[in-house]
Structures are given as structure tokens and as C-alpha cells.
Amino acid sequence: MRILAIESSCDETAAAVVENGRAVLSNVIASQVEEHKLYGGVVPEIASRRHAEAISGVVQKALDDAGTTLDGIDAVAVTYAPGLIGALLVGVNYAKSLAYAKGLPLIPVHHLRGHIAANYLSHPELEPPFLCLVVSGGHTHLVRVNDYTDFTVLGRTRDDAAGEALDKAARAMGLPYPGGLHLDRLAQTGDNAAFRFPVPRVDGAPLDFSFSGLKTNVINQLHNAVQKGETLKKEDLGASFLAAVVKNLCDHTKQAALECGCKTIVLAGGVSANSVLRSEMQRLCDKQRWRLFLPDLPLCGDNAAMIGAQAYYEYNAGKRADLSLNAFATMPIEA
Ligand code: KG4
Ligand code: ZN
């Protein structure tokens, strides 16, 4: 079964053709990052307009790269939640039009389910159940993936997402957008023990996360240094902050895995590209004799191939949308 998938939840206009949930026939991404960089973050109004301009060309290229036309497609899938509402609506309406024009089934896909499914593309042998740490710009979830379309959230962030905290701290340090990526590079030359950070705890919910305190701590250290006229080594501050965030992510993942008896750990979302997170999680899993699956780097960030992968399993589970399909800025992954 060949699915044409569309993703436009944030600042990448993406389309892909995926066969039977596992084989990527094409994967096209038009990034708007250079434009949003001017403003230090994603400007929703600009994102929607760029999606509207790019989507036809991106979809056509995905079909061309896959060596097919719409006549060779069996279903259309689209990210319908969560994300920037104006951005999502562009993809949703485009997908609806294509499905209607060609009489094809329309499959709505949850963006975070898509991030998890990126791992099915990178690892043909991976099957649920497993424990997944989803770390993106907008979400931080510890999820037990019971089956392809059955999820239990074990922990979530109470404030900033991990990526959001990295982006905001990086911005305060004068790094360009997307901050997480630039912080990863900067931290490689820093001393990760140079600065100390408190360990965040959420009372009564040990698997939940809280990153806003760590982020504010970085910003305060920067301000204090400026006020005292001191120069602060940003490589060291960045490396120490990143180490604190990663330690927290790894500690919670370990606790969740022990509690649910999961011996297969999976990472997903834009922050899963982080070099420190990847190596520390590998260290943890080696020590515990757990298997770790990491998405290939090009599949960590937003793309449509992951949406096409998840769509196959949603379709098999009977999920369909009609032409009244709407987009939603928020939606639980279990819904
Ligand atoms: O999953 P994603 O592409 O978009 C959302 O669904 O939010 O995640 C974007 C996030 C941003 O916060 C970005 O800074 C972060 O992923 N990111 C990284 C790295 N590459 C992207 N964070 C840390 N290290 C990286 N190498
Ligand atoms: Zn994403």
C-alpha cells in the first residue's frame, strides 16, 4: 500500500511517499528555518503563508521522486494535530482536496505518533511494545507504546518542553534559531561539570518533567555575569546545562522502564538528534542490557515520511477521516 503523506505542523512543508509503513519511496522537506531565524523563532503567520506557497511543489516533487503519480497512490495521510493551527490547516486542506479529487481514503495522523513511527523506518525489526521518550520542540512525553495505535503516557512535562527549554536558553546565550541544534555544537567544546544545576522534581509525579527552572537558571547565570562585568564561558555553561537536561531525561526514562518492565527503549522527536542525549541513553541502555533504537538523524526532525509510516498502521486499525476533518492545536497522543 502506497501512502502519500503531508506534514505542515510547524516550519517544514513536507511530503513523502511511503510503502507499507516501512519503505520510504520519497521524502521531500522545504524548510523555512532561514526566514524564522531572522526573528529568533517560528512566526506562525509567516509559517502558514510559506506552507501555502510551497505545498503544491513539495507534493509534486514527492510524487516525482517516488516515480509515481497520484494514480499510483492508495491513500492520502496528513498531520492534523498538534501544532500551529494555521500551519496545520494548510496541509489538512490540501490533503482533503487531493483525497476528494482522486476518491482516495484520507488518514489523519497525530504528529507525535508520527515522530515515534520514524523509528519503524530506521529499524525494520522494531515492533511494539516499547517505551518511547518523545522529545521535541513542543512536547516531552514518556510513552508506553502498547501497540502501533495504542499509547499510555507515563510522564510529561509540566512546563517547557525539552526542546523549548534548549531553544530559549540558547537564545539567551546569543545562539541562532534553532537553538537546540546550535547548543549541541557549542557544548561539544565545553566542560559539562563547570556549572551546577538543581535537579528538577515534580511533587507526587516522579515521571513528569519540569524544565523551566533549569532554563531560568541559565538565564540568571548569564544576567549575573553581565551585572558583575564578568565574562562567562558559554561553551561551559551550554555543556553543563545540556548535561543537566539529558541526565533528567535519562533518569526518568530509566525509572519508567523499570516500573513498566520495558527492555526496549526508543527515542523520538527533534531533540533525539542531540549527540549527548544519544550517547548517554546508549550508555544507560548498555548498562541495563536494554535495547535502544534511535531514529536516523534525517528522520529526527519534522518530516512527512514518519507521517506516512504511522498512517499505514492507523489505516490498518480502521482510522479514516471525511471531508469535515479539522486541525487541532493540541490533542493528547492517546486520543
Ligand atoms: O520535532 P521537532 O523537529 O519539531 C517539533 O515537533 O517541535 O523538534 C524541534 C526541536 C527544536 O527545539 C530544536 O532546537 C531541537 O528539536 N533540536 C535539537 C537538535 N536538533 C534539533 N535539540 C538538541 N540537539 C540537536 N542536535
Ligand atoms: Zn515535530
Side-chain angles (χ1 to χ4, degrees):
M1 177 182 194
R2 282 185 175 182
I3 296 178
L4 170 66
I6 294 173
E7 152 68 42
S8 69
S9 67
C10 192
D11 60 345
E12 332 275 358
T13 317
V17 178
V18 179
E19 195 160 57
N20 296 333
R22 296 277 177 166
V24 182
L25 305 188
S26 65
N27 189 18
V28 179
I29 304 174
S31 175
Q32 308 170 0
V33 74
E34 288 307 319
E35 190 164 1
H36 296 295
K37 214 178 234 176
L38 299 173
Y39 308 96
V42 178
V43 183
E45 165 82 13
I46 293 176
S48 308
R49 289 176 183 276
R50 295 296 166 262
H51 286 311
E53 288 165 4
I55 196 153
S56 295
V58 166
V59 168
Q60 189 56 53
K61 184 159 176 15
L63 292 168
D64 292 347
D65 287 0
T68 187
T69 65
L70 280 175
D71 291 332
I73 296 296
D74 301 304
V76 179
V78 65
T79 307
Y80 75 119
L84 301 172
I85 196 70
L88 286 165
L89 281 167
V90 175
V92 165
N93 277 313
Y94 202 84
K96 281 206 267 191
S97 311
L98 286 182
Y100 178 64
K102 299 302 287 182
L104 293 170
L106 179 63
I107 311 166
V109 178
H110 189 286
H111 183 74
L112 297 185
R113 292 188 181 197
H115 271 301
I116 295 171
N119 286 281
Y120 303 140
L121 300 171
S122 297
H123 308 287
E125 72 279 27
L126 177 64
E127 289 177 0
F130 53 80
L131 176 69
C132 186
L133 174 67
V134 187
V135 269
S136 72
H139 298 85
T140 304
H141 278 15
L142 262 170
V143 185
R144 188 172 191 281
V145 182
N146 306 311
D147 205 341
Y148 289 103
T149 59
D150 181 13
F151 304 82
T152 307
V153 177
L154 305 175
R156 68 177 78 232
T157 184
R158 293 295 184 98
D159 39 56
D160 289 3
E164 187 183 357
L166 295 177
D167 289 348
K168 288 177 179 168
R171 187 172 165 170
M173 292 168 69
L175 299 177
Y177 174 82
L181 174 66
H182 293 278
L183 193 63
D184 192 0
R185 290 183 189 152
L186 179 87
Q188 279 167 23
T189 55
D191 171 6
N192 68 8
F195 293 83
R196 294 181 72 84
F197 286 92
V199 179
R201 276 201 188 84
V202 178
D203 277 350
L207 294 181
D208 278 359
F209 300 94
S210 168
F211 293 111
S212 75
L214 289 177
K215 171 199 70 186
T216 307
N217 195 306
V218 171
I219 296 170
N220 288 344
Q221 306 226 36
L222 287 163
H223 287 170
N224 288 345
V226 171
Q227 277 164 5
K228 289 184 196 157
E230 292 171 2
T231 42
L232 179 155
K233 207 171 162 213
K234 286 188 182 163
E235 289 82 355
D236 290 351
L237 182 63
S240 304
F241 171 61
L242 188 55
V245 170
V246 166
K247 181 170 185 327
N248 196 243
L249 292 170
C250 289
D251 286 352
H252 285 216
T253 304
K254 180 180 174 186
Q255 192 174 341
L258 292 173
E259 279 179 23
C260 72
C262 284
K263 291 181 168 30
T264 304
I265 314 295
V266 174
L267 289 192
V271 182
S272 64
N274 186 263
S275 58
V276 181
L277 177 60
R278 290 171 87 93
S279 62
E280 286 302 305
M281 197 64 83
Q282 190 65 62
R283 219 154 64 103
L284 166 67
C285 290
D286 288 348
K287 204 167 156 199
Q288 298 291 331
R289 296 174 186 270
W290 295 336
R291 286 194 78 186
L292 175 65
F293 292 90
L294 301 167
D296 292 333
L297 286 177
L299 293 174
C300 289
D302 290 346
N303 66 84
M306 67 187 198
I307 302 302
Q310 181 61 22
Y312 175 72
Y313 297 102
E314 300 286 350
Y315 182 86
N316 286 346
K319 188 135 177 197
R320 307 282 188 280
D322 62 21
L323 294 181
S324 68
L325 177 66
N326 205 344
F328 300 90
T330 60
M331 178 171 292
I333 194 172
E334 308 96 317

